Amino acid sequence: QVQLVESGGGSVQAGGSLRLSCKASGYTASYYCTYWFRQAAGKGREGVAAIDSDGRTYYSDSVKGRFTISQDSAKNILYLQMNNLKAEDSAMYYCAADLDSLCYYYRFDRPEHFKNWGQGTQVTVSS
């Protein structure tokens, strides 16, 4: 059974950094594409980053150059390093497993595609 557990959220001031973690179990995350999504209060869930089985990374325009997705295959953990945080980055952040080795940008707008989600970790950025 696929399980995902996020951690690392918190409250920071604008310009600060956080590193989110997503511990995967029940499958080998590095064999597939894994996404990070976020959902701000009153808004829909949107994809912000993904990493595929070859380590290629994908980013939404809103976070490109500030966020970095990576994975530790030995620990089966994915990370989202978030730098130069802005108030508009405040949201609940989720990781989502896609049992497909390739990532697709269009899935950033298709949260309904994903069946396996973590519980989320809250990020709050104050300006």
Side-chain angles (χ1 to χ4, degrees), residues 43-125:
K43 295 189 176 181
R45 198 167 291 193
E46 61 171 356
V48 296
I51 186 166
D52 71 15
S53 59
D54 287 328
R56 286 184 294 249
T57 57
Y58 305 74
Y59 299 98
S60 67
D61 288 343
S62 61
V63 307
K64 195 173 296 182
R66 300 187 298 119
F67 290 12
T68 303
I69 188 171
S70 62
Q71 60 187 356
D72 184 329
S73 300
K75 296 181 180 179
N76 216 22
I77 296 177
L78 292 102
Y79 300 101
L80 186 67
Q81 177 67 44
M82 306 186 297
N83 297 330
N84 190 21
L85 283 160
K86 304 176 181 180
E88 52 264 41
D89 295 319
S90 296
M92 185 73 81
Y93 283 72
Y94 302 87
C95 55
D98 191 0
L99 299 185
D100 187 331
S101 61
L102 300 178
C103 300
Y104 300 95
Y105 275 111
Y106 79 88
R107 288 184 177 160
F108 280 25
D109 299 322
R110 300 286 192 275
E112 65 274 14
H113 166 80
F114 298 88
K115 296 179 175 58
N116 300 294
W117 295 89
Q119 83 289 349
T121 186
Q122 179 69 41
V123 171
T124 303
V125 184

Side-chain angles (χ1 to χ4, degrees), residues 12-68:
V12 296
Q13 290 192 329
S17 298
L18 283 173
R19 189 177 78 158
L20 307 183
S21 299
C22 172
K23 172 64 177 169
S25 60
Y27 81 116
T28 303
S30 61
Y31 289 178
Y32 303 99
C33 180
T34 306
Y35 295 72
W36 280 98
F37 280 76
R38 67 185 181 188
Q39 187 167 16
K43 295 189 176 181
R45 198 167 291 193
E46 61 171 356
V48 296
I51 186 166
D52 71 15
S53 59
D54 287 328
R56 286 184 294 249
T57 57
Y58 305 74
Y59 299 98
S60 67
D61 288 343
S62 61
V63 307
K64 195 173 296 182
R66 300 187 298 119
F67 290 12
T68 303

